[in-house]
Amino acid sequence: GHIIAVVARSALKGAAKTGAYTASKAAALRIIESLALEVRDAGIHVNAVSPSTLDTPPNRADMPKADPSKWVTVEQLADAIVFLSSDAAGAFYGANLEVYGRV
């Protein structure tokens, strides 16, 4: 089986005024890593994806001056999740794919 968690780029680095958010994402990543070690001998793959800003209508509305061409599309994020769910990622346990686009 496969478990894929979507965390965020902020799981890896803090930023001003986002302490609770970054802490929760970092904690989620540590849980994924720990769970992966607990269940890998049962053949269960537990991994994560950490996208940067996603190109969604709400993000475009909230950041009208930003350049969304640099953001990650929902399809690109889905591709990463599909990869981690495939046989091609059979050696991945506790991995975190950084899906950043060009930001």
Side-chain angles (χ1 to χ4, degrees), residues 34-87:
S34 297
L35 181 59
L37 294 173
E38 291 176 21
V39 299
R40 71 179 174 186
D41 288 340
I44 301 171
H45 300 261
V46 182
N47 296 295
V49 292
S50 292
S52 61
T53 304
L54 290 174
D55 187 359
T56 63
N59 281 342
R60 283 181 179 236
D62 289 346
M63 297 177 267
K65 294 181 181 181
D67 180 2
S69 71
K70 294 181 178 180
W71 296 349
V72 175
T73 68
V74 174
E75 293 80 12
Q76 289 169 325
L77 183 59
D79 288 343
I81 293 168
V82 168
F83 167 71
L84 285 175
S85 301
S86 73
D87 290 340

Side-chain angles (χ1 to χ4, degrees), residues 4-8 47-51 77 80-81 84 95-99:
I4 315 298
V6 179
V7 290
N47 296 295
V49 292
S50 292
L77 183 59
I81 293 168
L84 285 175
N96 176 45
L97 273 182
E98 298 171 5
V99 187

